[in-house]
Amino acid sequence: MLTALLFDLDGTLADTDPIHFQTWQAVLQEYGLEIDRPFYQANFSGRLNAAIIQDLLPQLSPAAGEALGLYKEAEFRQRSTTGLQRLAGLTKLLTWANNRALQQAVVTNAPIANAEFMLQVLGLVEQFPIVILGEELERGKPDPLPYQVALDQLGVPATAALAFEDSPSGIRAAVGAGITTIGMATTHSAQELYAVGASLVVPDFADPQLIELLERSLQPSLATSAAL
């Protein structure tokens, strides 16, 4: 029986990927690096900044790498002050989940300042009292640890949860924790997301296939109640 929903943040609750891509392009140009969309999707999506910077700019000291990561995210927040919106269908889904007393949490590799900023702008601070940050753990996604911590804090088994992720690394993390995972095709193709373990891939939360899956995951007495 479904009792909890776990959400990635970037690319899942809101389609922030175009803003991140443009920000990384601008920041890395200062170091003589030009990146295109395929390179970005293969090397950035779903990863922690520390790992990205270490791979692309190994000449930087740890302190300089950390400072660059903070600068990049400050630029991202500046570019996101206007136009950041919930992914289609999210508001209706959250109402549906609230009406059925499903527990909810955010599980993200985003830096804490970004997570707080985005949840505030999207009006979701009260919606998600539990926010698991990969940067505060020993290991972030694609390691399963962030999702395991979320399950522990919610007090639910993996079989009673459903995760929503847009990146291959995020799907690997959730599936690795034993959670049925829905791929959100905002940043990667459905083929890529199915290949790493997504049980279903949808473009947004309004997709009828997702609604049907959610209703089937509930007890019969609840599944026959009002649909989304």
Side-chain angles (χ1 to χ4, degrees):
M1 173 186 169
L2 180 66
T3 62
L5 300 179
L6 307 177
F7 297 87
D8 175 47
L9 183 51
D10 283 292
T12 300
L13 296 183
D15 187 8
T16 55
D17 204 56
I19 307 173
H20 278 294
F21 173 56
Q22 293 164 8
T23 307
W24 274 117
Q25 274 190 315
V27 168
L28 291 176
Q29 280 177 350
E30 300 176 20
Y31 291 84
L33 297 179
E34 299 285 342
I35 62 170
D36 58 16
R37 190 72 184 183
F39 183 86
Y40 171 80
Q41 288 185 310
N43 296 278
F44 291 70
S45 183
R47 300 182 67 203
L48 292 169
N49 282 351
I52 293 170
I53 292 169
Q54 184 176 30
D55 286 349
L56 296 183
L57 299 167
Q59 72 273 22
L60 295 183
S61 68
E66 182 179 0
L68 178 60
L70 292 173
Y71 169 68
K72 179 265 166 181
E73 298 309 337
E75 287 292 303
F76 163 78
R77 292 191 296 275
Q78 180 62 35
R79 291 167 183 249
S80 303
T81 21
T82 58
L84 199 61
Q85 296 182 345
R86 299 181 183 187
L87 200 64
L90 176 61
T91 300
K92 202 169 183 179
L93 171 62
L94 295 177
T95 299
W96 177 90
N98 292 342
N99 289 341
R100 287 153 181 79
L102 297 183
Q103 297 190 76
Q104 296 154 60
V106 167
V107 183
T108 178
N109 269 357
I112 184 170
N114 279 21
E116 292 176 346
F117 168 81
M118 288 181 59
L119 292 174
Q120 183 68 45
V121 172
L122 295 171
L124 294 172
V125 174
E126 299 299 324
Q127 183 72 35
F128 296 109
I130 293 178
V131 178
I132 306 301
L133 300 163
E135 71 171 11
E136 293 186 340
L137 302 176
E138 184 179 349
R139 299 177 302 279
K141 305 173 192 177
D143 194 277
L145 180 60
Y147 276 101
Q148 292 166 344
V149 171
L151 293 173
D152 288 344
Q153 290 199 17
L154 291 171
V156 300
T159 52
L162 192 67
F164 298 91
E165 277 281 356
D166 71 297
S167 70
S169 67
I171 290 175
R172 288 190 183 97
V175 171
I179 304 169
T180 298
T181 307
I182 307 301
M184 310 303 293
T186 55
T187 59
H188 294 268
S189 69
Q191 182 179 3
E192 290 177 279
L193 302 184
Y194 277 123
V196 292
S199 297
L200 173 69
V201 178
V202 295
D204 54 46
F205 295 103
D207 191 287
Q209 294 180 88
L210 173 59
I211 297 168
E212 293 173 8
L213 183 150
L214 288 167
E215 292 288 356
R216 289 198 307 269
S217 300
L218 299 174
Q219 290 181 335
S221 59
L222 294 179
T224 55
S225 63
L228 281 168

